[in-house]
Amino acid sequence: DEEEDHSPSKKQVTEESLHSQKVATHYNKLQEHGLAERNKSRIVHMRNFNNWLKSVLIADILDKVRRRRREVTVLDLGCGKGGDLLKWKKGHIDKLVCADIAAVSIEQCQQRYNDMRRRGHPNDRTFSADFITADCSKELLSDKLRDPELRFDVCSCQFVCHYSFESEQQADTMLRNACERLRPGGFFIGTTPDAYELVNRLEVSDSNSFGNEVFRVTFQKKADYPLFGCQYDFSLEGVVNVPEFLVYFPLFEEMAKKYNMRLVYKKTFKEFFEEKVKDEKNKVLMQWMQALEQYPPGEGGQLASDSLGEYDHAKRVAARRPLGTLSKSEWEATSIYLVYVFEKMA
Ligand code: SAM
């Protein structure tokens, strides 16, 4: 009798489906707040820092790609509401495919893209874009692409991969979606919590949980960290997020080899920041983002090009305005993450 079958595999399948639904429902429900509202939040500096980090990472990678190719195609895997659209515009890419499990987020992402196109200068060529709603840990994107021959130069997977480490198969499908359509020499880049950091902090805490007034991580138990399905709850500003799963990076690296991926680097956010902020251009971008955080000019008013005029303007604005910095609590939250870059071998 089907109903009576309580075999572990069946139970696991049901729980996995439930988790996917939870992720989609959670992100679909999240309200899109305007810039002014976002700037009131206690984690505004942290959001800005994460945005700066992604901007620098994306610009660096697009620089590398452009040395080899004129036309650049990108896959934004787990794109959410399109928080990185401006970064792709600034990087002058040609084509973007956005994919996410949350249908409402994909709609908002598409809306944002349409607005961006409409607002742009007539001579300002915006990349073309496709939008796909899919559970990328279970469905193959290649079945859903408009052009089945499409190849990517970059796959960007920002704050997403940890949702797929519920099972080996899901993690593998996510990696397959990220990497199988990359051109040789193409890059798979992303950000994810660092299992070492999470486990170290948990082990020195006297409970199953650690955190501060801006974030909290709660494990079900200590001292047992399976490679897949090691679940923890993550809450930010008191709002519990959907459960996440530990990503043990050496395993991630090993699994990526199946798709011919070579690790170029893995850095903690701290290491990445300390290295990249030495570059004057990145430092100015950081100051500019901090200045905007206090004096927002409205949605979409971010530094949208590298033109010298804008760069000089940013420098002048940044020099005039007092700068905000990450609070200790924000830094404790963001320093959980790491950034990785893989390259597809020939
Ligand atoms: N990448 C965006 C950014 O950096 O702003 C959004 C990051 S948000 C923390 C995580 C995103 O991953 C959400 O939009 C969520 O819907 C998406 N996601 C989680 N699991 C997914 C899955 N299995 N397939 C596709 N998207 C997924």
Side-chain angles (χ1 to χ4, degrees):
D1 186 337
E2 288 246 327
E3 302 281 51
E4 293 295 295
D5 184 353
H6 295 302
S7 62
S9 61
K10 192 147 202 170
K11 181 170 168 279
Q12 200 180 356
V13 168
T14 323
E15 278 175 6
E16 280 169 15
S17 322
L18 265 176
H19 183 256
S20 299
Q21 267 173 26
K22 269 193 216 155
V23 176
T25 312
H26 171 82
Y27 280 103
N28 277 332
K29 270 202 307 227
L30 280 189
Q31 294 283 318
E32 171 64 358
H33 296 295
L35 195 60
E37 191 60 33
R38 285 206 297 273
N39 281 330
K40 280 194 223 141
S41 142
R42 230 182 330 183
I43 50 167
V44 60
H45 302 304
M46 179 179 135
R47 283 195 205 284
N48 257 307
F49 176 82
N50 291 350
N51 248 323
W52 172 85
L53 185 138
K54 288 193 288 177
S55 300
V56 172
L57 171 66
I58 286 171
D60 272 7
I61 288 303
L62 290 179
D63 248 17
K64 285 201 175 72
V65 170
R66 216 166 287 285
R67 276 180 226 148
R68 301 182 204 147
R69 284 186 56 80
R70 278 187 44 190
E71 284 226 331
V72 178
T73 305
V74 173
L75 170 63
D76 192 339
L77 193 57
C79 59
K81 300 183 181 72
D84 292 340
L85 283 172
L86 263 177
K87 302 177 186 68
W88 302 123
K89 183 180 157 94
K90 193 181 156 194
H92 303 289
I93 68 162
D94 298 276
K95 186 167 179 52
L96 180 69
V97 175
C98 287
D100 200 284
I101 191 173
V104 177
S105 298
I106 281 288
E107 263 171 43
Q108 288 178 355
C109 182
Q110 187 154 14
Q111 186 60 49
R112 225 161 161 168
Y113 168 77
N114 292 339
D115 291 348
M116 195 173 88
R117 269 196 102 131
R118 214 171 306 123
R119 264 201 316 263
H121 189 271
N123 294 337
D124 193 5
R125 193 180 53 89
T126 305
F127 52 86
S128 64
D130 280 339
F131 301 87
I132 300 173
T133 303
D135 180 343
C136 301
S137 72
K138 291 184 182 155
E139 299 166 79
L140 288 182
L141 279 180
S142 43
D143 296 338
K144 297 199 157 198
L145 285 176
R146 201 194 295 256
D147 170 8
E149 298 303 312
L150 193 67
R151 291 287 177 274
F152 298 106
D153 300 290
V154 177
C155 168
S156 170
C157 195
Q158 306 299 339
F159 303 104
V160 178
C161 270
H162 42 291
Y163 294 107
S164 73
F165 267 68
E166 185 169 15
S167 70
E168 181 166 6
Q169 199 179 353
Q170 283 173 274
D172 177 63
T173 304
M174 186 63 91
L175 271 168
R176 180 168 170 188
N177 281 323
C179 305
E180 76 174 345
R181 300 195 148 257
L182 282 175
R183 287 200 175 85
F187 294 98
F188 168 40
I189 61 176
T191 41
T192 196
D194 182 356
Y196 276 120
E197 202 54 56
L198 292 174
V199 170
N200 279 340
R201 294 191 201 190
L202 179 68
E203 287 292 330
V204 296
S205 132
D206 48 19
S207 69
N208 281 355
S209 144
F210 62 88
N212 56 40
E213 76 271 20
V214 306
F215 86 107
R216 180 146 297 275
V217 171
T218 309
F219 277 75
Q220 282 157 350
K221 56 177 184 270
K222 259 170 148 167
D224 179 20
Y225 309 108
L227 291 175
F228 300 99
C230 187
Q231 185 178 318
Y232 58 90
D233 287 322
F234 185 86
S235 66
L236 206 54
E237 288 195 298
V239 180
V240 183
N241 208 325
V242 270
E244 303 183 359
F245 301 94
L246 216 55
V247 180
Y248 178 55
F249 200 84
L251 171 66
F252 190 58
E253 185 183 349
E254 202 52 40
M255 289 176 78
K257 287 184 184 157
K258 180 172 168 191
Y259 300 103
N260 231 1
M261 304 302 295
R262 172 187 78 87
L263 182 66
V264 181
Y265 68 73
K266 176 207 81 166
K267 292 182 202 303
T268 63
F269 271 24
K270 183 172 187 282
E271 289 165 340
F272 188 88
F273 166 71
E274 284 170 354
E275 182 189 322
K276 300 295 179 184
V277 81
K278 287 184 194 143
D279 184 334
E280 173 68 14
K281 195 166 144 232
N282 294 336
K283 197 160 142 190
V284 167
L285 177 66
M286 167 78 83
Q287 291 172 326
W288 171 249
M289 286 168 113
Q290 286 174 336
L292 286 187
E293 159 193 312
Q294 291 175 43
Y295 303 91
E299 287 284 356
Q302 295 177 33
L303 195 60
S305 85
D306 278 331
S307 72
L308 198 61
E310 236 176 312
Y311 179 76
D312 278 349
H313 178 59
K315 257 172 108 165
R316 279 200 303 277
V317 171
R320 270 206 311 269
R321 291 176 173 176
L323 299 179
T325 47
L326 262 78
S327 65
K328 182 166 171 282
S329 301
E330 285 176 303
W331 182 249
E332 274 172 21
T334 204
S335 56
I336 284 175
Y337 292 88
L338 55 77
V339 43
Y340 56 82
V341 173
F342 288 90
E343 183 177 9
K344 179 113 171 181
M345 292 183 290

